[in-house]
Amino acid sequence: MKNRTLIIGAGGVGRVVAHKCAMNAEIFGEITLASRTKSKCDAIASEIKDVVVKTAAVDADNTEELIELIKAVDASIVINVALPYQDLTIMDACIATGVDYLDTANYEHPDEAKFEYKEQWAKDADFKKAGIMGLLGSGFDPGVTNVFCAYAQKHYFDEIHTIDILDCNAGDHGYPFATNFNPEINLREVSAKGRYWENGEWIETEPMEIKMVWDYPEVGPKDSYLLYHEEMESLVKHIKGLKRIRFFMTFGESYLTHMKCLENVGMLGIEPVEHQGQKIVPIEFLKTLLPDPASLGPRTKGKTNIGIVAEGIKDGKKKKIYIYQVSDHEKCYKEVKSQAVSYTTGVPAMIGAKLMLEKVWYKEGVHNMEEFDPDPFMEELNTQGLPWQIKELE
Ligand code: NDP
């Protein structure tokens, strides 16, 4: 029977997912792209020449509307690449209709800058009862980074003791300040306190308190700052023997100075403020002013390099490896009209969905990426546009 794929969200990532699903149309079958603004879906659909991509309008905050759409499409799978705020409503609609679910970012409440898996994991029993699977965080980080950890565990270690996830975007879009994915999500993440996990405990740091310089292959040495990142929450549960896990992301001086200034004047606030008789949320207004991340594609040059360094024990000896993936912004844009940040998120979303539809990765309930055999995913990365490298450091 032919599959029917429903993609929700027509931003930078949605564009990549739509293109990549169309390139694998023998698996994804009939593809429908839905978002709040149908014209954005139509624009993406018109870029895809060889495959017909249907489009629809949906308010993904409204479970009833979603249920209607999923039924109308008769979807085999829902790929959620809208915003993290919509995760729960889309999951509920999947439970109601008995359709498999995948996303790339964990739930975050619009009124509280805190993201965690708790509410999504709590739906595990309902997913099992409905006989469906939910795959959480199938982007790059979370996503590929979780798979890299599972691959290291499977092939290189008896026990992994420490993991550092290292995320570098050395792209230059030529603007004094812009975010390369949704500004609200990005700025909330970056301005939050840092956190890492050591010896069974979460340790909190001030924002950007811990810095190191890492020499990223094909990019060079970059200032890298410790942040909290969501894949750590599931990895501490699933990687055996783990003693410490941290996440670092690169930021340039100029980006950090702009951000500090915006924060100091209150522009990153998420509480509504009164302005000339109207209520406005500062960070939402800022989003209106900043360049649309989707528009950065044609102007961004340079590379991304995201990977993990794992240290541990194999056959009684110490071992340290680095698994990483390098993408080139201009090359990504040439292929699917999106820069590398959207590309490196959208391709793994497509791969996760492909493995679910093929029943290569299939388990009822709600799951994280590292719970599955990493090998088929790692193979797909190599053939679908995200080839990776391994270096043995010790
Ligand atoms: P964008 O802001 O570019 O796009 C989001 C899309 O979601 C827009 O098309 C928007 O619709 C749509 N949307 C928002 N609210 C609703 C709603 N209520 N109903 C229907 N559609 C809605 O974001 P990105 O494409 O950059 O990111 C998409 C997702 O990917 C986010 O969840 C982000 O956190 C995640 N991400 C994950 C990464 C990873 O590595 N795991 C890395 C980068 C991003 P409209 O345009 O009509 O307003």
Side-chain angles (χ1 to χ4, degrees), residues 8-14 34-38 40 58-62 80-87 104-105 137-143 180-183 185 229-230 287 292-294 341-342 344-345:
I8 301 179
V13 178
S35 194
R36 200 164 36 188
T37 318
K38 187 172 170 291
K40 291 193 184 172
V58 72
D59 176 4
D61 290 322
N62 182 328
N80 166 17
V81 279
L83 296 179
Y85 314 135
Q86 282 85 47
D87 287 0
T104 64
S138 189
F140 206 103
D141 47 341
N180 41 44
F181 65 98
N182 185 283
I185 306 290
H229 221 245
E230 62 196 61
K287 186 180 167 195
D292 176 358
V341 175
S342 303
T344 55
T345 309

Side-chain angles (χ1 to χ4, degrees), residues 15-281:
R15 163 175 277 113
V16 177
V17 175
H19 275 268
K20 284 290 186 178
C21 287
M23 289 177 198
N24 290 271
E26 69 289 356
I27 305 294
F28 290 97
E30 248 174 50
I31 301 164
T32 304
L33 176 61
S35 194
R36 200 164 36 188
T37 318
K38 187 172 170 291
S39 58
K40 291 193 184 172
C41 305
D42 293 335
I44 294 171
S46 70
E47 293 165 9
I48 298 169
K49 301 292 175 220
D50 305 334
V51 175
V52 176
V53 173
K54 294 183 183 170
T55 61
V58 72
D59 176 4
D61 290 322
N62 182 328
T63 306
E64 289 311 312
E65 232 182 85
L66 286 162
I67 291 174
E68 234 173 80
L69 175 67
I70 294 171
K71 283 186 179 161
V73 167
D74 192 13
S76 322
I77 190 165
V78 174
I79 303 177
N80 166 17
V81 279
L83 296 179
Y85 314 135
Q86 282 85 47
D87 287 0
L88 300 182
T89 43
I90 301 178
M91 288 177 89
D92 287 341
C94 285
I95 294 167
T97 49
V99 174
D100 293 326
Y101 168 89
L102 175 148
D103 66 30
T104 64
N106 70 7
Y107 176 66
E108 184 170 346
H109 194 281
D111 301 330
E112 197 191 357
K114 182 174 184 211
F115 44 89
E116 57 184 358
Y117 281 119
K118 192 169 73 189
E119 287 175 80
Q120 291 183 277
W121 283 342
K123 295 192 186 291
D124 182 58
D126 288 339
F127 267 62
K128 285 189 175 126
K129 211 150 80 194
I132 57 171
M133 171 173 163
L135 183 61
L136 305 184
S138 189
F140 206 103
D141 47 341
V144 175
T145 49
N146 303 56
V147 177
F148 283 172
C149 292
Y151 190 79
Q153 177 164 274
K154 181 174 175 185
H155 296 286
Y156 287 86
F157 293 97
D158 295 326
E159 243 181 41
I160 297 182
H161 293 159
T162 68
I163 295 172
D164 280 341
I165 301 166
L166 304 165
D167 178 333
C168 167
N169 176 9
D172 181 9
H173 43 61
Y175 286 114
F177 185 74
T179 62
N180 41 44
F181 65 98
N182 185 283
E184 207 181 323
I185 306 290
N186 186 209
L187 292 169
R188 280 168 67 147
E189 177 176 281
V190 173
S191 57
K193 290 206 173 191
R195 217 177 341 148
Y196 65 100
W197 186 88
E198 191 162 37
N199 298 325
E201 276 179 47
W202 289 103
I203 297 159
E204 198 168 81
T205 70
E206 288 307 309
M208 309 291 163
E209 184 188 333
I210 298 182
K211 170 181 153 180
M212 69 160 179
V213 177
W214 184 259
D215 193 355
Y216 294 87
E218 297 185 49
V219 171
K222 292 275 171 202
D223 289 346
S224 307
Y225 295 85
L226 186 142
L227 298 184
Y228 177 68
H229 221 245
E230 62 196 61
E231 62 265 54
M232 293 193 286
E233 189 186 357
S234 68
L235 287 166
V236 299
K237 276 178 59 171
H238 298 128
I239 300 294
K240 57 180 179 208
L242 195 61
K243 293 187 170 70
R244 190 188 71 200
I245 183 163
R246 305 182 297 184
F247 180 96
F248 290 87
M249 192 179 267
T250 60
F251 295 100
E253 277 291 320
S254 165
Y255 181 95
L256 291 180
T257 309
H258 275 85
M259 205 187 69
K260 197 75 217 156
C261 177
L262 291 167
E263 191 179 19
N264 286 343
V265 297
M267 281 302 286
L268 302 187
I270 60 174
E271 294 296 329
V273 294
E274 189 91 13
H275 175 70
Q276 298 188 341
Q278 282 195 23
K279 291 248 183 244
I280 57 165
V281 176

